[in-house]
Amino acid sequence: MDIAALIAWVVTALGGFYMLGTWIRRGGVRQQQSGTSRLPAPVIFGHFALAAIGLVVWIIYVVADKSALAWTAFGLLLPVALLGFVMLARWIPVYRDRAAVPATPAAATAQGADASVPAERHFPLPVVLAHGLFAVVTLVLVLLTALGIGGS
């Protein structure tokens, strides 16, 4: 089960890296000053940092098989999940508004970002859904492993 959790965590991280890269590339950091992006940079980077630290702790757990490390990784995942739900709640209205103000490539600036279009509007729905689904699976598998269910 610990290996399944590791695989789920890595798949989740890949989706997260893709969305973080899209957000940065589309000007999300610059949009913080103008208020265009609905995703605060501290929330995004806090989510990323805690998830990355947790993944490192989980990898060490898989190698060392120390129960305290499994619980530490789970403890790190709780605020990651909370921040993820905050971002999801803030992203949903941006996704719903996409029909009202379509993001057009012609309106993009030389840096590949339109200042009037939130950077997170460019997140593909399948990536957002897969990231969330794999995140939930990861959280459950890590908890079950920490509880000693399913063997490690």
Side-chain angles (χ1 to χ4, degrees):
M1 187 157 329
D2 55 351
I3 299 299
L6 178 61
I7 292 167
W9 205 325
V10 168
V11 171
T12 304
L14 291 173
F17 282 137
Y18 176 80
M19 288 188 289
L20 177 62
T22 299
W23 187 78
I24 291 170
R25 189 174 57 257
R26 296 293 185 157
V29 176
R30 289 187 306 277
Q31 291 178 350
Q32 295 299 294
Q33 288 81 25
S34 68
T36 304
S37 177
R38 293 186 44 90
L39 300 179
V43 173
I44 287 179
F45 291 112
H47 178 78
F48 166 74
L50 287 171
I53 292 166
L55 179 56
V56 170
V57 170
W58 190 254
I59 291 168
I60 295 169
Y61 164 74
V62 169
V63 172
D65 197 26
K66 300 289 184 188
S67 177
L69 291 172
W71 284 108
T72 301
F74 179 73
L76 287 165
L77 278 178
L78 293 177
V80 170
L82 179 62
L83 291 172
F85 281 120
V86 167
M87 289 188 290
L88 178 64
R90 295 180 70 102
W91 174 80
I92 288 172
V94 172
Y95 176 74
R96 286 184 177 161
D97 289 346
R98 77 195 178 290
V101 184
T104 59
T109 64
Q111 288 83 21
D114 179 357
S116 66
V117 175
E120 56 273 15
R121 178 162 310 151
H122 301 281
F123 295 167
L125 180 60
V127 175
V128 173
L129 294 176
H131 180 73
L133 176 65
F134 276 97
V136 170
V137 168
T138 300
L139 185 69
V140 170
L141 290 174
V142 168
L143 175 60
L144 291 175
T145 302
L147 290 170
I149 298 172
S152 62

